[in-house]
Amino acid sequence: FKSIRQVDKAVLVIRLAISKYPREAVFQVEMAEYYLREGIRYKAAEHFREALRLDPHNEQAMKAMKHLDRKE
């Protein structure tokens, strides 16, 4: 298990990456995956949607949104 500090650092790094590279879908997907692991589905969906807006062919985001849509 990762310590809380490691997770906090990872989230901070992803947020910084999103702010520095706002057009990179990969960082949106990473943030979405974090929220999904934390059980914050609506935030995960927001970031997956943003990833798809940036990269409509992002397979990871497409699969995740199909999965989220089925469970909502």
Side-chain angles (χ1 to χ4, degrees):
F1 290 94
K2 291 183 181 179
S3 75
I4 292 172
R5 287 184 70 147
Q6 287 175 314
V7 172
D8 288 345
K9 282 183 183 180
V11 170
L12 179 61
V13 168
I14 295 168
R15 286 184 178 148
L16 287 171
I18 288 171
S19 68
K20 187 166 182 164
Y21 305 102
R23 293 189 173 143
E24 292 293 330
V26 67
F27 300 123
Q28 294 292 337
V29 170
E30 288 298 322
M31 196 77 239
E33 291 289 341
Y34 164 76
Y35 282 123
L36 204 53
R37 283 190 301 276
E38 293 297 310
I40 309 171
R41 297 169 57 79
Y42 78 96
K43 291 294 283 182
E46 286 175 11
H47 285 277
F48 282 129
R49 279 191 213 92
E50 180 62 12
L52 288 171
R53 187 187 71 77
L54 296 168
D55 177 7
H57 304 291
N58 185 297
E59 288 186 33
Q60 191 174 357
M62 285 190 288
K63 287 179 186 176
M65 283 307 296
K66 284 181 187 176
H67 180 74
L68 283 172
D69 286 341
R70 279 187 291 210
K71 291 200 171 193
E72 289 183 12

